[in-house]
Amino acid sequence: MDIITSEAYYQQRQDCLEARGTIAYNTDGFDWMFHCQDRYSTDNVWVLRLQSGLSLRWSDDKPYRDVGIKGEHPDEMPLIAKFCLSGYQGVRCSGIPGVPEEYCEAAGQSYFLALPDIQETEIYLADQHRQFLRLHIEPHFFQTIGMDLGFLPDLLRQTLTGEQRRFHQSLGNMTPAMHKVLQQILHCPYSHGIKRLFLESKALELLALQIDQWVELEQGECPPQALKAADVERVYEAVNILRRELVDPPSTIVLARRVGLNDKKLKAGFRQVLDTTVFGYVKTERLEQARQLLLTGDMTVTQAASAVGYTSQGHFAAAFRKRFGVNPRSLRH
């Protein structure tokens, strides 16, 4: 794994942008976006300045190689509400109360954090399609909107009042309501001033949903355990095995043994990291690969079904229609 400083990494990003000219400012009067491709990854980023003290950042990254980015957070770093839609990111960081020095952030999960004046290494693994949205929130924002701090979760309130400096709170699986708002943000139908108004309202709704979930956790539910980075890597090792052996995949028990986990932990890992079951992943991957074979190859439907492990063309066609809404024969040219 390459370990580089954040200064070197972001300077390389800037050099890439200046050389390729793939940066657009104020595309709708209040945002900017860039596309960058270099030896480490392909990145697409969208940044929006909303009302005072609130901004939004959407990232869509595809790393080509394992890399650790070592950096230091400034003392005035804002609070961050983070929503992970896909992929995995490991973090090495000491000095966060109650959090192990190495932890991870995984698909389907949301987090709220305050990490000023601290060193950390963010770990990106090759071939992880990372998609996540972050809300950057200045501490004064809650007072700006007239929020009664007494209704906020304890950690957040203590941070805003100066009793606590740092925290990293895992809030577990994103709710269906959060997923809906995230899709509304990513597929905003408006432009210019109306677009800003819409996105601002959705950012506030997303923040409200997350804080409400946090309050409910405090009122009686046990907060989810942070995934160990080593266990997440084993889950992705299992994913790679399933991709290679898609036609005849190993059983869950055999797969767990091959990657060094018990089957219970492997099943839980698939749920937390990929938001699906082992069987669900195999089914989805088979259909996705069959779709690509039909789009780009000279295979018949029967051949494509057989190539990904289906023995019944009827079962394959039914599953294909359910997932993609079309008959597999319609993809044949």
Side-chain angles (χ1 to χ4, degrees):
M1 176 185 295
D2 292 346
I3 302 292
I4 57 178
T5 66
S6 58
E7 290 85 355
Y9 181 75
Y10 290 114
Q11 182 59 54
Q12 182 169 308
R13 303 274 93 182
Q14 188 61 38
D15 292 344
C16 167
L17 293 173
E18 291 176 357
R20 297 175 182 268
T22 52
I23 185 166
Y25 291 98
N26 299 318
T27 58
D28 273 286
F30 63 96
D31 62 344
W32 62 275
M33 59 184 62
F34 72 76
H35 167 80
C36 184
Q37 182 174 3
D38 62 15
R39 66 192 180 100
Y40 287 111
S41 63
T42 295
D43 298 342
N44 292 284
V45 177
W46 180 35
V47 180
L48 303 91
R49 301 293 180 188
L50 302 173
Q51 60 177 279
S52 176
L54 181 67
S55 62
L56 181 154
R57 181 184 179 103
W58 164 252
S59 296
D60 187 327
D61 307 333
K62 295 180 181 178
Y64 304 137
R65 58 200 297 176
D66 296 349
V67 60
I69 302 174
K70 187 175 182 179
E72 184 169 342
H73 292 179
D75 189 57
E76 66 277 8
M77 183 178 178
L79 302 163
I80 294 176
K82 188 170 184 178
F83 305 84
C84 302
L85 279 78
S86 69
Y88 154 77
Q89 175 182 318
V91 182
R92 293 174 186 159
C93 185
S94 60
I96 311 172
V99 177
E101 291 192 4
E102 186 169 334
Y103 60 92
C104 79
E105 296 171 344
Q109 309 283 302
S110 81
Y111 307 88
F112 207 111
L113 50 125
L115 298 178
D117 190 25
I118 199 169
Q119 292 183 344
E120 73 168 7
T121 300
E122 297 179 328
I123 301 166
Y124 305 143
L125 299 181
D127 301 322
Q128 291 297 308
H129 186 184
R130 300 172 56 250
Q131 295 177 305
F132 59 92
L133 182 144
R134 297 189 305 189
L135 296 177
H136 290 215
I137 308 152
E138 298 296 338
H140 67 78
F141 172 76
F142 292 99
Q143 280 132 350
T144 300
I145 62 174
M147 185 82 179
D148 185 343
L149 301 186
F151 290 99
L152 294 175
D154 288 342
L155 269 178
L156 181 53
R157 186 184 69 253
Q158 291 166 8
T159 301
L160 294 173
T161 57
E163 302 171 57
Q164 174 94 11
R165 284 208 75 198
R166 305 185 187 112
F167 68 84
H168 184 286
Q169 181 65 51
S170 172
L171 297 169
N173 291 330
M174 293 186 291
T175 65
M178 290 178 189
H179 280 287
K180 180 180 178 181
V181 174
L182 285 165
Q183 292 305 313
Q184 289 172 331
I185 289 173
L186 297 177
H187 300 94
C188 174
Y190 306 108
S191 60
H192 307 302
I194 299 176
K195 179 178 181 179
R196 180 173 186 173
L197 184 64
F198 177 84
L199 292 173
E200 197 168 89
S201 70
K202 291 301 171 182
L204 291 172
E205 184 178 356
L206 192 58
L207 180 60
L209 288 169
Q210 191 188 49
I211 291 176
D212 182 63
Q213 183 184 43
W214 192 353
V215 170
E216 287 185 1
L217 286 172
E218 280 195 343
Q219 291 175 345
E221 297 183 23
C222 294
Q225 294 292 316
L227 288 170
K228 293 182 179 179
D231 289 342
V232 174
E233 289 182 9
R234 291 188 178 102
V235 170
Y236 280 114
E237 183 182 347
V239 166
N240 289 331
I241 290 172
L242 293 176
R243 285 176 177 167
R244 292 195 303 267
E245 303 176 20
L246 201 58
V247 174
D248 185 22
S251 69
T252 303
I253 293 176
V254 171
L255 181 63
R257 188 181 303 124
R258 286 173 64 178
V259 299
L261 295 173
N262 60 51
D263 63 319
K264 184 177 180 181
K265 185 169 283 189
L266 180 67
K267 291 175 182 177
F270 263 74
R271 280 290 188 192
Q272 293 184 54
V273 175
L274 302 169
D275 197 25
T276 188
T277 63
V278 176
F279 174 77
Y281 176 81
V282 170
K283 183 178 179 180
T284 298
E285 188 67 16
R286 280 177 166 175
L287 292 171
E288 291 289 349
Q289 288 196 20
R291 178 173 175 271
Q292 290 302 314
L293 290 172
L294 291 170
L295 286 171
T296 61
D298 296 323
M299 288 188 177
T300 66
V301 172
T302 301
Q303 289 170 332
S306 178
V308 298
Y310 275 89
T311 56
S312 167
Q313 186 176 337
H315 289 164
F316 169 71
F320 196 95
R321 284 193 299 270
K322 184 175 180 180
R323 176 159 184 81
F324 300 113
V326 297
N327 192 297
R329 292 186 184 279
S330 68
L331 302 187
R332 292 277 296 139
H333 299 294

